[in-house]
């Protein structure tokens, strides 16, 4: 027994030293941790002195260590009261006069250890040290009782006043003090006074392991259990340990009774009993703990309530409803006095209070003008933190330089915890949770539930914002479609109309209610065909001009563009048509055409006057000389030749004007373009050889020709070839090529290119060469290209000119293939 007590005291002393170092290193700038370190080291020294007393080899050595314990105990007592004054709500020591009185009194009573009458007798007997104390010990005992009683009173007052984690911390320390002090007073004061010896005094110092253990738990444990949870676990442990130990004791007692202590089977019995205890205690303790902690109903089950709340939050897409559900879930889960959610404002980047819930009214409060600037200390701390900011943990574990300002900032906004809402590593919001409405601390399970809710709420918030953006965009697009002047019609892959705006309703004259979800056949044929073609062939056509007949009204000129819609999400694609009313544009075009006709008439009149006047001047001159020179035979022959030439020139001019103004013929024959080109090459080969010009032709594979007047088209191409031969210098090259192309917007066309490599038309003249009477040739009327353009436009085609200094000049004729069907290879057929 003697050896066991000494080993126990040495172990407790070592444990006290370890706790002192560990707690001090946890937060070395806190006065609580410093006082605790001194207090725990003093307890270690006290316990070590008691151990050395048990190891004493003589009464004198024992007396020395007994006297040494009194100064050490004085330090234990004084640091205990000093600790009670500041923990856990002060970060500075109390006023120095009070501490001076405390430690001065402690120093005075520490001197009791050196008082001559302290020890009456010391003897080594019965395996321990027996001590009889004198009157000074009574004074020291009174000092101990009064000082520790004062510390207990201070901690009791704080336990009544403080709330939350601080109250729990004080409760643990007060419990440890009462347990340790009760054992110490009994073993070190009362029993020595009553029995006159210190047989049990060594266990008084050992009992202080409960105090320093409770203090260390309150100071350094990251997640402190609430008193109720700790009590349930203690009860569960007692329910398990007491019966199991009782069974083990009975089993060992019976084994010793029947087999004797010297039996070789007794060791095996001990091993079996130990295995039984090891296999039974843990599962039985787990079962009992679950039984005690199990809620009485599903409504009181926090985990189930948490799951239901998170499911409701994830299903919510309306942001206002999401905020309401979130504060409701947090209020149910944590029971705080108030919950507020702040969201970042996109413009200012500050954080505005979107909603709050107060315990007094229990109602969701609307967003108010409260806000946290983006540079607020709490916002900055949350932006750099990926976890919940808990004021209690800040005050316990962070340095004073950082923790004190942050704790003050949290106090100013009334927040006990701040949960950052993050998305893609960006702080998008904050959840501010005030202290618990009942003044209790937030349990670890509650904080874990809040921690688990943060990413879900962030996700739900992003979903709600995305949904709001989509809804806003949809509303914006619907507003545009509703207010725009262009008609928009959209159909799905099955030809069912799902979009039909107000402008389309106005143009087509069919009410929207009669069109939506109907087949395309309800639309005018020309629009329905365009949409159906886009759906089936996935081809876009833009700018098709159509005249939409309306019963009892004049037709409306429209521009109809169709485009295929891409298939998404397993749905068949559709098509969309955009139609524009060209009535105003048609009127403007008519006015423009009238103006162009007037301008053309002016140009033609001036050109005709100029071209006709010159021959008439010559004829008039000869006519005026005729009376005086009538008998001159040479004059008469010259006059006749000149008059004939000038009249032929006027006749040629009139013929060209008639060709320019000739209305389109009703010819509707398929034109063999390649044959026309070959014929022109044959007829112009002599002119080309005379100028030593290479006239080449490259004919493409034309599956079908355009429809129109072959003679007129022949005239247009001949004019272009003759112009090219005239413009090309000697030794040059003139090329004629044909090809068939398929242009997305214009359909299939035949292209005829006439290129001469040695000529160049400046950009400023390219736009003028197709105007009547414009020419830079010394001879010519300037009507050739104008006639060519007129003929090509009669066939629905285009005539373009391109000229570059290094590649020469090229005229391109584009003629549409007016086909009515396609063969199985997709080629145009007539």
């Amino acid at each position: 027994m003697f050896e066991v007590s000494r080993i126990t005291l040495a172990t407790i002393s070592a444990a006290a030293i370890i706790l002192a170092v560990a707690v001090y290193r946890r937060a070395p700038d806190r006065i609580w941790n410093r006082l605790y370190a001194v207090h725990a080291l003093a307890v270690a020294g006290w316990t070590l002195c008691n151990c050395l007393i048990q190891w004493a080899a003589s009464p004198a050595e024992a007396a020395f260590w007994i006297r040494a314990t009194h100064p050490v105990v004085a330090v234990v007592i004084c640091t205990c009261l000093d600790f009670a004054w500041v923990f856990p709500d002060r970060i500075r020591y109390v006023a120095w006069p009070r501490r001076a009185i405390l430690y001065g009194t402690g120093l005075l009573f520490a001197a009791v250890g050196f008082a001559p009458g302290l020890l009456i007798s010391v003897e080594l007997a019965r395996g321990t040290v027996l001590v009889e104390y004198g009157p000074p010990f009574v004074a020291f005992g009174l000092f101990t009782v009064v000082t520790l009683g004062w510390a207990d009173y201070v901690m009791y007052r704080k336990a009544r006043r403080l709330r939350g984690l601080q109250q729990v911390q004080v409760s643990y320390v007060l419990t440890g003090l009462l347990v340790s002090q009760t054992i110490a007073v009994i073993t070190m004061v009362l029993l020595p006074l009553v029995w006159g010896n210190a047989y049990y005094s060594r266990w008084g110092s050992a009992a202080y392991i409960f105090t320093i253990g409770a203090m260390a738990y309150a100071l350094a444990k990251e997640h402190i259990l609430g008193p109720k949870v700790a009590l349930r676990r203690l009860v569960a442990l007692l329910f398990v340990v007491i019966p199991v130990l009782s069974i083990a004791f009975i089993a060992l007692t019976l084994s010793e009774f029947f087999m004797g202590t010297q039996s070789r089977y007794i060791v095996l019995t001990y091993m079996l009993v130990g295995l039984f205890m090891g296999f039974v205690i843990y599962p039985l303790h787990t079962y009992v703990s679950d039984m005690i902690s199990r809620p009485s109903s599903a409504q009181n089950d926090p985990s189930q309530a948490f799951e239901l709340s998170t499911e409701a939050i994830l299903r919510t897409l309306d942001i206002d409803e999401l905020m309401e559900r979130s504060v409701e879930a947090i209020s149910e889960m944590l029971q705080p006095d108030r919950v507020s959610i702040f969201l970042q404002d996109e413009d200012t980047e500050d954080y505005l209070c979107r909603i709050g819930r107060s315990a007094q009214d229990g109602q969701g409060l609307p967003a108010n003008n409260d806000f946290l600037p983006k540079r607020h200390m709490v916002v900055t701390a949350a932006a750099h933190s990926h976890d919940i900011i808990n004021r209690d943990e800040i005050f316990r574990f962070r340095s004073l330089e950082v923790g004190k300002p942050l704790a003050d900032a949290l106090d100013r906004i009334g927040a006990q915890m701040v949960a950052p809402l993050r998305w893609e590593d960006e702080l998008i919001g904050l959840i501010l949770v005030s202290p618990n409405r009942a003044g209790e601390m937030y349990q670890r399970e509650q904080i874990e539930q809040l921690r688990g809710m943060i990413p879900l709420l962030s996700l739900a918030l992003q979903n709600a914002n995305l949904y709001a953006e989509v809804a806003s965009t949809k509303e914006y697009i619907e507003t545009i479609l509703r207010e725009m002047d262009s008609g928009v019609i959209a159909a799905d892959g099955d030809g069912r109309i799902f979009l039909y705006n107000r402008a389309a309703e106005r143009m087509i004259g069919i009410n929207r209610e009669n069109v939506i979800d109907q087949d395309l056949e309800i639309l005018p044929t020309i629009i329905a065909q365009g949409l159906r073609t886009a759906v089936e062939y996935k081809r876009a056509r833009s700018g098709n001009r159509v005249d939409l007949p309306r019963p009892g009204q004049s037709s409306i000129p429209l521009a109809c563009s169709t485009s295929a819609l891409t298939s998404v999400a397993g749905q068949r694609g559709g098509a969309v048509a955009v139609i524009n009313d060209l009535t105003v544009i048609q009127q403007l075009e008519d006015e423009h055409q009238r103006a162009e006709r007037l301008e053309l008439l002016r140009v033609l009149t001036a050109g005709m006057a100029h071209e006709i006047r010159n021959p008439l001047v010559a004829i008039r001159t000869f006519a005026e000389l005729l009376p005086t020179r009538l008998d001159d035979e040479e004059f008469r022959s010259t006059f006749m030749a000149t008059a004939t030439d000038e009249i032929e020139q006027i006749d040629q001019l009139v013929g060209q004007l008639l060709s320019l103004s000739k209305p389109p013929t009703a010819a509707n024959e398929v034109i063999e373009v390649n044959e026309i080109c070959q014929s022109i090459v044959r007829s112009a080969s002599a002119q080309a050889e005379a100028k030593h010009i290479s006239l080449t032709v490259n004919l493409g594979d034309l599956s079908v020709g355009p429809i129109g007047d072959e003679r007129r088209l022949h005239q247009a191409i001949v004019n272009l070839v003759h112009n090219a031969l005239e413009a090309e210098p000697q030794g040059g090259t003139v090329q004629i090529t044909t090809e068939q192309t398929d242009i997305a917007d214009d359909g299939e066309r035949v292209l005829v290119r006439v290129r001469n490599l040695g000529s160049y038309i400046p950009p400023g003249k390219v736009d003028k060469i197709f105007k009547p009477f414009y020419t830079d040739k010394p001879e010519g009327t300037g009507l050739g290209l104008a006639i060519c353009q007129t003929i090509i436009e009669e066939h629905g085609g285009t005539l373009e000119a391109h000229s570059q200094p290094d590649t020469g000049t090229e005229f391109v004729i584009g003629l549409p293939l007016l086909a009515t069907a396609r063969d199985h290879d997709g080629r145009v057929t007539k």
Side-chain angles (χ1 to χ4, degrees), residues 479-747:
T479 302
I480 293 176
L481 291 174
R482 185 171 58 251
E483 301 298 332
M484 68 187 300
D485 293 330
S486 299
V488 181
I489 307 171
D492 58 20
D494 297 325
R496 313 292 292 185
I497 301 171
F498 64 86
L499 178 61
Y500 184 81
N501 70 343
R502 185 184 300 173
E505 181 179 358
R506 183 182 66 252
M507 296 179 197
I508 296 177
I510 305 176
N511 292 332
R512 184 176 185 276
E513 292 77 9
N514 299 330
V515 172
I516 293 298
D517 203 30
Q518 298 297 319
D519 191 82
L520 289 173
E521 299 301 329
I522 197 172
L523 298 174
T525 303
I526 194 166
I527 297 177
Q529 286 180 348
L531 284 169
R532 197 173 298 281
T533 300
V535 171
E536 293 177 358
Y537 296 101
K538 309 299 182 186
R539 295 182 59 181
R541 300 187 68 87
S542 62
N544 292 334
R545 300 187 62 163
V546 298
D547 290 328
L548 180 66
R550 298 184 63 177
Q553 303 180 26
S554 59
S555 60
I556 301 177
L558 299 177
C560 181
S561 300
T562 57
S563 178
L565 297 177
T566 306
S567 303
V568 294
Q571 298 181 355
R572 287 185 58 193
V576 61
V578 179
I579 55 177
N580 293 284
D581 190 346
L582 301 181
T583 301
V584 176
I585 297 176
Q586 185 70 49
Q587 294 173 354
L588 293 175
E589 288 181 349
D590 292 343
E591 293 178 3
H592 181 67
Q593 289 176 0
R594 284 195 294 270
E596 284 187 339
R597 285 196 294 269
L598 291 175
E599 176 65 17
L600 178 62
L601 180 61
R602 185 189 67 77
V603 172
L604 288 174
T605 302
M608 289 176 62
H610 176 74
E611 295 294 336
I612 294 176
R613 178 180 293 177
N614 290 335
L616 290 178
V617 167
I619 295 174
R620 180 179 178 179
T621 300
F622 278 99
E624 289 176 350
L625 294 175
L626 184 61
T628 60
R629 303 183 64 177
L630 181 62
D631 296 333
D632 188 344
E633 182 178 356
E634 182 181 356
F635 175 79
R636 290 197 306 269
S637 62
T638 303
F639 171 74
M640 292 298 294
T642 300
T644 301
D645 292 340
E646 297 298 334
I647 291 173
E648 288 180 355
Q649 184 176 351
I650 293 174
D651 182 66
Q652 183 181 5
L653 175 63
V654 172
Q656 289 178 341
L657 290 174
L658 290 175
S659 177
L660 181 65
S661 60
K662 181 180 180 181
T665 62
N668 192 22
E669 57 183 348
V670 177
I671 302 174
E672 298 294 339
V673 177
N674 285 346
E675 293 182 2
I676 293 176
C677 293
Q678 289 175 338
S679 173
I680 293 173
V681 169
R682 287 193 297 269
S683 62
S685 59
Q687 181 183 355
E689 289 178 2
K691 294 186 66 176
H692 303 287
I693 295 174
S694 173
L695 179 60
T696 62
V697 62
N698 183 14
L699 303 178
D701 182 14
L702 306 183
S703 60
V704 69
I707 297 176
D709 189 337
E710 184 172 337
R711 183 183 61 81
R712 297 271 289 171
L713 185 59
H714 183 278
Q715 179 185 354
I717 300 176
V718 165
N719 287 343
L720 293 178
V721 173
H722 285 175
N723 287 345
L725 292 173
E726 291 176 0
E728 186 70 12
Q730 288 191 358
T733 301
V734 174
Q735 300 173 346
I736 304 174
T737 61
T738 62
E739 63 177 314
Q740 183 173 326
T741 63
D742 188 357
I743 303 175
D745 293 336
D746 296 334

Side-chain angles (χ1 to χ4, degrees), residues 85-119:
W85 280 340
V86 297
F87 180 77
D89 54 340
R90 295 176 64 94
I91 60 173
R92 293 182 176 85
Y93 294 109
V94 297
W96 70 269
R98 188 193 301 182
R99 299 187 73 228
I101 293 173
L102 171 64
Y103 287 101
T105 305
L107 183 61
L108 177 64
F109 280 95
V112 170
F114 304 99
L118 176 64
L119 302 175

Side-chain angles (χ1 to χ4, degrees), residues 30-310:
R30 292 293 195 279
I31 58 173
W32 321 318
N33 297 59
R34 296 174 181 176
L35 286 172
Y36 174 82
V38 176
H39 181 74
L41 290 175
V43 171
W46 181 18
T47 308
L48 182 60
C49 287
N50 280 289
C51 181
L52 293 174
I53 291 172
Q54 301 300 319
W55 258 315
S58 63
E61 184 180 353
F64 172 80
W65 291 117
I66 290 173
R67 289 181 181 275
T69 60
H70 288 76
V72 178
V73 173
V75 175
V76 172
I77 295 171
C78 292
T79 53
C80 180
L81 180 57
D82 201 0
F83 182 86
W85 280 340
V86 297
F87 180 77
D89 54 340
R90 295 176 64 94
I91 60 173
R92 293 182 176 85
Y93 294 109
V94 297
W96 70 269
R98 188 193 301 182
R99 299 187 73 228
I101 293 173
L102 171 64
Y103 287 101
T105 305
L107 183 61
L108 177 64
F109 280 95
V112 170
F114 304 99
L118 176 64
L119 302 175
I120 297 175
S121 65
V122 177
E123 60 177 314
L124 303 179
R126 293 181 292 175
T128 186
V129 180
L130 301 178
V131 182
E132 184 178 356
Y133 289 99
F137 185 75
V138 177
F140 189 83
L142 291 175
F143 166 71
T144 302
V145 172
V146 172
T147 307
L148 294 181
W150 191 358
D152 295 342
Y153 175 74
V154 172
M155 298 304 287
Y156 172 76
R157 290 289 303 273
K158 288 187 176 183
R160 296 288 301 272
R161 176 173 55 86
L162 298 177
R163 292 291 183 267
L165 177 64
Q166 291 183 339
Q167 184 185 55
V168 174
Q169 289 176 299
V170 171
S171 299
Y172 277 112
V173 174
L174 181 59
T175 302
L177 280 171
L178 292 177
V179 173
S180 299
Q181 292 166 7
T182 301
I183 298 174
V185 169
I186 292 174
T187 59
M188 301 183 64
V189 178
L190 297 181
L191 291 181
L193 289 177
V194 174
W195 292 347
N197 62 72
Y199 182 82
Y200 295 101
S201 296
R202 58 183 180 272
W203 300 115
S205 60
Y208 254 83
I209 193 65
F210 293 105
T211 295
I212 63 174
M215 288 181 176
Y217 184 81
L219 282 170
K221 186 68 169 67
E222 185 172 356
H223 301 292
I224 297 178
L225 294 177
K228 295 180 180 179
V229 177
L231 181 61
R232 286 198 299 266
R233 293 191 178 184
L234 179 60
V235 171
L237 184 62
L238 293 176
F239 265 105
V240 173
V241 172
I242 292 176
V244 172
L245 289 180
S246 300
I247 295 173
F249 177 76
I250 294 173
L252 292 176
T253 303
L254 293 176
S255 298
E256 293 179 359
F257 177 77
F258 289 106
M259 293 184 293
T261 56
Q262 303 300 322
S263 174
R264 58 182 179 178
Y265 297 107
I266 194 66
V267 177
L268 179 60
T269 304
Y270 287 163
M271 294 176 59
L272 292 175
V273 171
L275 289 174
F276 167 76
M277 294 173 62
F279 280 109
V280 170
I281 287 180
Y282 179 75
L284 190 59
H285 177 262
T286 303
Y287 175 76
V288 175
S289 298
D290 292 342
M291 290 292 294
I292 296 177
S293 304
R294 184 177 301 167
S296 58
S297 64
Q299 297 176 343
N300 298 325
D301 188 353
S303 60
Q304 184 173 356
F306 172 74
E307 292 178 0
L308 294 176
S309 300
T310 53

